[in-house]
Amino acid sequence: MERKKVSKKCIELLAVNDPHESFGNGGSKATSPKSYGLVRITKHNGKVEEVLMPMTLLLDIKRMKEFFVNQGHAQCDDDKYWLRVRDELRNYPDVELKLSYSPGYVGEVYLCSNGLVIGDQNQFVRLHPDANFRPSSTASSGTLNEWKENVASLALYSDRMLLALCVSFSGLIMKWANQESGGFHLHAESSVGKTTATLLASTVYGGPEYLCSWDITEAGVEEVAVGRNDALLPLNELRLLSTDPVLASQKASKLIYMIAEGKGKHRAKSYQSNVNTWATVVLSSGELSLADHAESGKMKRLKGECVRVIDLFADSQSGFGIFDRLPKEFPLAPEFSEHIQAQSQVYYGSALLPYVEGLLKWENGKAGSVKRRIVKHSNSFIENCVVDNTKGQEMRIIKRFAVAYAAGAIAIELGVLDFSNSQIGQAIRKCYEAYVREKPESQSEEIDKAYQKVLDKLANAKLLKVREGTG
């Protein structure tokens, strides 16, 4: 069969990376330098796509030809054509290609785990071919207005769901919030609505597939965390860790500490050259609190764990599970919960683009704009709460609630949520107050309380008068 001659320019080099520079997940210096070019290719069917090409292919025309044909380029046996292609590709453009080992913010854009770039399209930012993470199933279905009306609005019936929704957005402002990885663990008995809350929160990014399970290995949690860098990491059903309470407790403690630390293990270079790093916000769920989970495994939660991933009782104590009230059309909480889950599988992912675009527009217009908003909203929230600002641990905890409020307030300002600041502020303050009421006492608090009891007993004790000379 005669090969068609290629009469027009089907291959164009757009940008080339600095092989010694990398972005995301492990620093700015590549441990295994590789040069790639971003090439726009017109396929045999007329479709245009962009592909990453190893620049070493220019050293071997045969391999270069095979590469492009495998990418969909028309079959062509004209050697002169391929020589021209090689010569043109050797003329590097004055545009930098940034290759990132993880999704998230890279320069002035946001890189999704599916390769979608949000922000300035004139900047060439792509995922590095050697990036090692578990994709986060970022996807969208339905319009933003449909999501707001059919999913987000339902969070108003539950303070904890509204907190979960704002926590989801807070993953997108980690870059400016000056906060370590961590988040919240919703706990209560089965069928209260914990999974519904994490599913609703996940709709900011995608559908049900975005929700992760606690049934995961140590190496697996690294890949998942990297894939949710600068985003939400939802983890469902803590009981799936292990049937052995001791092993489950040890595993939970190790994984939570690793996630909050934002860094994975150092491994042999033959296996993995880069150390995984990430910044993520966790929204976990389970029947037991992390404190109870640790106790059942005959362990005690470390202070650092309690601050980084906060236990919050998911039952609102209203008689409706996680809900504080129910809409008229759903008199039973399980039915309403099922409705939310069904809607979350239809409308999702449409909030991510306008939220991130808004953040980048503010920041690129005037550096520091996002951080100033976070500080303003966070301080406003804390000022309306009762907290001892002399206790560092308590201030770190309330800041998690405050940053969630700031993320929600920013979503309102950007038109991504149709709530008022007072609605989300009141809901998140109630969640914080519930946490304060229910939190387990620290060892020092237990000692202080026992000491006070002794003082109270002494103060109320009837002292016997002892006369001199009596036997």
Side-chain angles (χ1 to χ4, degrees):
M1 184 176 69
E2 185 179 354
R3 306 295 188 194
K4 293 181 179 179
K5 288 189 176 182
V6 180
S7 59
K8 63 178 181 178
K9 188 175 182 179
C10 296
I11 298 172
E12 180 184 4
L13 182 61
L14 303 175
V16 179
N17 75 312
D18 179 345
H20 295 281
E21 185 176 31
S22 64
F23 300 85
N25 193 11
S28 59
K29 293 297 179 183
T31 54
S32 301
K34 294 179 182 178
S35 181
Y36 289 92
L38 182 63
V39 178
R40 181 180 291 143
I41 176 174
T42 302
K43 297 188 174 185
H44 60 83
N45 57 7
K47 290 184 179 180
V48 178
E49 286 190 8
E50 293 177 359
V51 297
L52 285 175
M53 180 193 76
M55 297 305 286
T56 52
L57 291 181
L58 300 183
L59 301 173
D60 188 329
I61 288 185
K62 182 180 178 182
R63 289 178 58 219
M64 182 193 73
K65 174 183 173 181
E66 288 176 353
F67 173 83
F68 285 117
V69 170
N70 287 333
Q71 295 295 330
H73 188 283
Q75 295 276 357
C76 177
D77 291 332
D78 185 352
D79 292 338
K80 290 182 179 180
Y81 168 79
W82 292 111
L83 284 170
R84 288 197 305 272
V85 168
R86 184 195 64 182
D87 292 342
E88 288 181 4
L89 291 176
R90 282 177 170 173
N91 295 320
Y92 286 16
D94 295 328
V95 183
E96 182 186 9
L97 170 63
K98 295 179 179 179
L99 296 179
S100 178
Y101 281 96
S102 62
Y105 293 100
V106 182
E108 298 176 0
V109 304
Y110 184 89
L111 182 59
C112 299
S113 67
N114 61 359
L116 174 68
V117 178
I118 302 176
D120 186 358
Q121 297 301 308
N122 292 320
Q123 292 195 38
F124 294 105
V125 179
R126 300 293 184 270
L127 289 168
H128 198 288
D130 295 337
N132 181 31
F133 62 86
R134 191 174 302 182
S136 62
S137 302
T138 305
S140 64
S141 176
T143 66
L144 176 62
N145 285 334
E146 287 174 331
W147 175 78
K148 289 195 288 187
E149 181 180 351
N150 296 290
V151 178
S153 64
L154 304 181
L156 290 173
Y157 291 93
S158 167
D159 294 336
R160 287 155 178 80
M161 281 196 177
L162 200 46
L163 169 66
L165 184 58
C166 291
V167 166
S168 184
F169 283 111
S170 72
L172 297 169
I173 62 173
M174 289 281 286
K175 173 182 171 70
W176 300 279
N178 191 29
Q179 190 174 53
E180 61 196 355
S181 294
F184 296 86
H185 175 70
L186 298 175
H187 64 94
E189 62 184 19
S190 181
S191 302
V192 164
K194 308 179 298 296
T195 298
T196 304
T198 51
L199 180 60
L200 184 146
S202 298
T203 62
V204 171
Y205 300 86
E209 296 80 13
Y210 190 87
L211 186 59
C212 304
S213 167
W214 269 109
D215 185 13
I216 194 169
T217 64
E218 193 172 319
V221 82
E222 287 189 34
E223 295 177 1
V224 168
V226 173
R228 272 90 177 157
N229 182 56
D230 288 329
L232 174 72
L233 172 54
L235 290 165
N236 193 35
E237 291 299 343
L238 187 64
R239 63 181 173 83
L240 296 176
L241 278 171
S242 176
T243 55
D244 185 321
V246 175
L247 291 177
S249 178
Q250 292 172 348
K251 188 175 180 182
S253 178
K254 183 182 291 186
L255 294 184
I256 288 170
Y257 187 83
M258 179 187 293
I259 293 170
E261 187 71 10
K263 186 164 59 175
K265 282 188 172 183
H266 288 268
R267 294 182 172 87
K269 287 186 178 181
S270 58
Y271 173 72
Q272 180 180 325
S273 57
N274 281 34
V275 176
N276 287 325
T277 59
W278 56 82
T280 188
V281 171
V282 178
L283 183 62
S284 169
S285 70
E287 294 186 12
L288 293 178
S289 69
L290 294 172
D292 289 339
H293 206 68
E295 187 177 342
S296 67
K298 299 178 181 179
M299 295 179 65
K300 192 173 183 68
R301 287 194 80 194
L302 301 174
K303 281 187 178 182
E305 286 182 59
C306 300
V307 169
R308 292 177 175 183
V309 181
I310 299 166
D311 274 329
L312 182 63
F313 191 42
D315 196 324
S316 68
Q317 305 292 294
S318 64
F320 306 124
I322 200 170
F323 304 106
D324 298 282
R325 63 188 190 285
L326 297 174
K328 292 180 180 179
E329 58 268 34
F330 293 100
L332 299 176
E335 291 181 356
F336 187 39
S337 187
E338 289 176 4
H339 174 70
I340 294 175
Q341 291 189 30
Q343 295 296 86
S344 296
Q345 296 180 47
V346 178
Y347 308 104
Y348 53 80
S350 55
L352 177 64
L353 181 62
Y355 193 89
V356 174
E357 281 183 335
L359 294 176
L360 293 172
K361 185 177 180 180
W362 285 341
E363 195 64 18
N364 295 338
K366 189 174 183 180
S369 296
V370 177
K371 188 171 185 177
R372 281 193 293 273
R373 283 174 167 86
I374 295 171
V375 171
K376 181 186 75 172
H377 291 308
S378 296
N379 289 344
S380 172
F381 178 84
I382 294 172
E383 287 168 4
N384 287 285
C385 295
V386 178
V387 60
D388 186 348
N389 58 15
T390 64
K391 293 184 177 179
Q393 185 170 336
E394 289 305 310
M395 290 304 296
R396 287 173 67 190
I397 289 171
I398 197 172
K399 188 180 177 184
R400 289 219 177 270
F401 288 91
V403 170
Y405 168 74
I410 287 172
I412 292 169
E413 186 177 355
L414 291 171
V416 177
L417 290 177
D418 288 338
F419 309 148
S420 67
N421 286 8
S422 61
Q423 282 177 310
I424 63 172
Q426 184 179 17
I428 296 176
R429 273 194 299 276
K430 286 183 178 178
C431 290
Y432 173 70
E433 290 165 0
Y435 156 77
V436 172
R437 288 194 304 269
E438 298 154 4
K439 69 173 182 173
E441 293 178 337
S442 66
Q443 190 174 27
S444 60
E445 288 172 333
E446 290 174 355
I447 293 172
D448 289 343
K449 185 174 285 188
Y451 179 65
Q452 188 60 47
K453 283 183 179 180
V454 172
L455 292 179
D456 292 342
K457 284 186 178 181
L458 288 174
N460 297 324
K462 293 181 180 179
L463 299 179
L464 298 175
K465 290 184 178 180
V466 181
R467 290 183 301 176
E468 291 183 5
T470 57

